[in-house]
Amino acid sequence: MSSAPEDVRTLPGAPAPTALWPGDPRELGARFCRGPGGTEGTGFALWAGGAEAVDLCLFDDDGRERRLPLTGPTDEVWHGFAPGVRPGHRYGYRVHGRWDPWTGARWNPAKLLLDPYARAVDGEFRHAPQTFGHVLGWPQAHLADTVRDDRDSAPYVPRGVVVRDAAAGAWADRPGTPWADTVLHELHVRGFTRLHPAVPERLRGTYAGLAHPAATGHLRALGVTAVELLPVHQFAPEGTLLGRGLTNYWGYKSVGWFAPHAGYAATGTRGEQVTEFRAMVHALHAAGIEVILDVVHNHTAEGSELGPTYSLRGIDNRGYYRLAPDARRYADVTGCGNTLDARRPQALRLITDSLRYWVTEMGVDGFRFDLAAALARTERDVDTLAPFLAAIAQDPVLRRVKLIAEPWDVGPGGYHLGGFPPPWSEWNDRYRDAVRDFWRGALPDVRDLGYRLTGSSDLHDRAGRRPRASVNFVTAHDGFTLRDLVSYEHKRNAANGEGNRDGTDDNRAWNCGHEGETDDPAVNALRRRQIRNLLATLLLSTGVPMLTAGDEMGRTQRGNNNAYCQDNEVSWVDWSLLRDPAWRPVRRLAARLIALRRAHPVLRRDAFFSGRPQEGVRDLAWFTPAGCEMSESDWFAPTVAFGMYLSGRDLPQCDPRGRPVSGDSFLVLCHAGAGPVEFVLPGEPWARAYELVVDTSREDQSAAPGTRHPGGGPIAVPERSVLVLRALL
């Protein structure tokens, strides 16, 4: 079957055919194309390995359903061609088979199932008993999941939508930012623009809103090179949250891995969300910003055996999920009720087909994998030779994009930081913890911090990996915002309706002497200084920095460190902060630090420091306030002030034409103590003098640059501050 021409009109109201032609089993999903004799229509194909029969269910505009049996199975795929069915037409599947939960078989044709390959989804998931494959509330609780519910779920679940493929060669405008130059900005599509006054109201909180010049302009002015979007795959709400008047705001309950979440579309849900998402990617690319998706392939919204039947459970439960020795149950290493079994060919194909689709047809530039360790498990343990990692490594499309692992899950041996192979990068929570502890005065010594600031070579310097393997962050969507990190020591999650039991208690936070918001000007000034310290530390560290949206302007979640269900002002970015004279300088400093990083290659090294001399000066050196290089005993002693010298001479990297790269050298002085300290600046050969570039003790940075200090002489370092000095050789 060949692709239909682009000028074929979308006719969602076209009548459904009365019979299907055999079609082609090779292309899974719903593909609008030309069939036999050049007839326009849609080919449907669904893998359902153990099924006995599959019905394609086509829905007209009035919601009437027509069921048509698919041909098959051909290599475990059920297939058919529907002449006349065009983009915009809605569909689902009903899959017939045995109901035998004791062996993991949970087929139930009364349940309308969403195609896991659906490119768009129309309609809502409604929390109703009819959406469960078993009888909800069965009086014998220990058998609750074994009694089949034969009521029709169609009125309570959405449908897939036939969508036109993207034009070939649509993504020639990719920024292609090298890893070493990358600065990530983690944001939520809805929350980023929901309150933005310059974005038209009808576009706020949508893909079109993020594509608006007011949104892309902010990102561009800040200097970030990539957005890391919280989940945008179609996801389903949780009944427990709906019962509390809340919803899953973060979206870590995926149910459609090819479909942009319909709730973020301003233009419609009959395929328009796909076009709108593509337009957003084009707008971000035009601004020089890459798009990285946070993807949730480790589990689905169907949850445990007591959860609803939306898709994979009803298609082939045993073929998609990891089952426990008691096949009624799931092997859950995600903490979310189920785990996708990425060892199985069809589950692995679903994941990789989805990833390739988002790259080739939706234009994205990379992925951050939620609980990636769950995907890299074999029979029990996380394994670098796991089928998932091997499939990615050899894939001609996926091995070229940015790949970021959240390198853990909740199963045995699930913490795997530093264990992923090239070309993976990893979220580095040890960086987060060390930096937080230093600035709150809780580090017993600075041994661990030294590694974290310089790319975490102790974790990643093996098997050809580079500093870009470490994605450094101080905050993320999960936890306190940067402002809350310096304002609260204890979470305030009562609004989540879980008795403040949810969310971590290990916040590693310091409230600067007062818990929560205050009008005390001294406390607030100290908090802003601490934010500046944390931003400077992050953006001057070797590795890939990741900011969380709104941290650059003082966003607060009012102490909520688990705002996953807060689709309101708690989670949305408050753009009025940019008009607040207290917070405007914070954004300016963040932009200035990113610009400094971009301008000087030593601040974004592509290779680990060696410690070896270059022209008599090591590429990395550490100093005490006395101006002496740190000894071994200094690393083991309690330390609140130190200097880090970064040499820009003869860097171990080349420019695109193969020429050696060199640049300025810098001395970064970090002081977390409560009083000022006098620091003796290293003299020659390190530098004859130093020019002050950044001083985080100042609210306004405009007065800092240009001040010069002689090498070998003293400099007063204010309490709790970072000074960045350029070495004058």
Side-chain angles (χ1 to χ4, degrees), residues 228-233 251-254 257 292-299 351 354-355 358 364 366-372 375 388 402-406 424:
E228 185 177 302
L229 304 181
L230 268 68
V232 297
H233 289 165
Y252 288 92
K253 289 292 181 181
S254 299
W257 289 332
I292 295 174
L293 302 187
D294 190 338
V295 292
V296 188
H297 290 298
N298 57 82
H299 72 279
I351 295 170
S354 166
L355 297 173
W358 285 96
V364 306
F367 305 94
R368 178 264 190 191
F369 292 81
D370 179 65
L371 300 180
L375 296 170
F388 168 73
K402 288 184 167 69
L403 302 169
I404 304 171
E406 184 182 37
W424 287 81

Side-chain angles (χ1 to χ4, degrees), residues 245-262:
L246 301 169
T247 190
N248 190 318
Y249 170 70
W250 286 350
Y252 288 92
K253 289 292 181 181
S254 299
V255 73
W257 289 332
F258 285 75
H261 185 63

Side-chain angles (χ1 to χ4, degrees), residues 389-689:
L389 295 177
I392 297 291
Q394 60 78 44
D395 190 283
V397 172
L398 301 180
R399 69 189 182 203
R400 296 175 181 272
V401 302
K402 288 184 167 69
L403 302 169
I404 304 171
E406 184 182 37
W408 51 78
D409 63 22
V410 300
Y415 188 76
H416 215 58
L417 177 63
F420 279 72
W424 287 81
S425 299
E426 303 170 35
W427 269 27
N428 190 344
D429 63 327
R430 286 185 60 178
Y431 178 94
R432 174 199 63 198
D433 293 349
V435 170
R436 288 186 179 191
D437 282 348
F438 175 74
W439 285 110
R440 71 188 180 108
L443 272 185
D445 55 57
V446 291
R447 286 175 294 163
D448 193 52
L449 183 65
Y451 279 118
R452 303 306 144 239
L453 299 183
T454 55
S456 293
S457 60
D458 59 327
L459 302 174
H460 300 301
D461 190 8
R462 61 176 186 81
R465 303 189 82 188
R466 291 176 176 268
R468 63 96 180 239
S470 178
V471 174
N472 301 329
F473 65 102
V474 176
T475 65
H477 67 275
D478 187 1
F480 280 150
T481 67
L482 201 55
R483 178 173 171 178
D484 289 353
L485 187 66
V486 299
S487 304
Y488 299 87
E489 294 180 7
H490 307 286
K491 64 190 180 186
R492 296 192 178 186
N493 296 357
N496 296 352
E498 300 178 39
N500 208 42
R501 295 184 300 273
D502 63 302
T504 183
D505 292 311
D506 184 20
N507 293 299
R508 299 174 187 252
W510 179 49
N511 63 20
C512 297
H514 179 89
E515 184 71 4
E517 294 296 323
T518 179
D519 294 328
D520 188 321
V523 171
N524 286 331
L526 176 56
R527 289 174 174 175
R528 290 192 297 273
R529 178 182 290 201
Q530 286 289 84
I531 287 173
R532 295 193 295 272
N533 291 334
L534 291 163
L535 284 172
T537 305
L538 174 65
L539 293 169
L540 297 174
S541 294
T542 303
V544 180
M546 184 184 78
L547 293 166
T548 303
D551 276 354
E552 73 274 15
M553 62 181 86
R555 184 176 76 88
T556 176
Q557 291 181 170
R558 306 167 195 166
N560 192 321
N561 75 351
N562 189 36
Y564 77 104
C565 56
Q566 298 297 323
D567 186 7
N568 50 47
E569 290 85 352
V570 170
S571 297
W572 301 339
V573 173
D574 179 5
W575 293 92
S576 70
L577 292 166
L578 286 181
R579 301 190 299 272
D580 187 330
W583 292 107
R584 279 201 307 268
V586 174
R587 195 210 67 84
R588 287 199 296 267
L589 175 63
R592 189 154 176 262
L593 289 165
I594 293 173
L596 186 69
R597 181 185 183 91
R598 182 171 59 247
H600 298 285
V602 72
L603 300 178
R604 43 184 174 82
R605 283 177 59 107
D606 194 35
F608 289 109
F609 293 96
S610 68
R612 292 189 293 270
Q614 300 170 341
E615 300 178 20
V617 174
R618 279 186 294 281
D619 60 357
L620 172 67
W622 304 87
F623 291 90
T624 69
C628 303
E629 288 192 65
M630 290 177 62
S631 65
E632 183 175 358
S633 61
D634 290 325
W635 287 105
F636 285 82
T639 303
V640 296
F642 64 88
M644 177 176 65
Y645 185 93
L646 308 171
S647 174
R649 312 177 197 186
D650 296 327
L651 294 170
Q653 58 201 66
C654 297
D655 69 11
R657 296 187 178 184
R659 295 170 298 196
V661 172
S662 62
D664 289 334
S665 301
F666 289 88
L667 178 65
V668 181
L669 306 181
C670 297
H671 177 36
V677 65
E678 185 175 83
F679 207 109
V680 176
L681 298 174
E684 294 185 296
W686 306 100
R688 59 179 175 80

Side-chain angles (χ1 to χ4, degrees), residues 41 93 117 120 134 184 278 288 316 328 380 400 475 482 488 557 581 596 628 696 719 729:
Y93 292 112
Y117 280 74
H134 61 278
L184 299 169
R278 289 171 179 158
D316 195 321
R328 278 176 60 190
R380 178 175 174 83
R400 296 175 181 272
T475 65
L482 201 55
Y488 299 87
Q557 291 181 170
L596 186 69
C628 303
T696 63
E719 67 275 11
L729 304 178

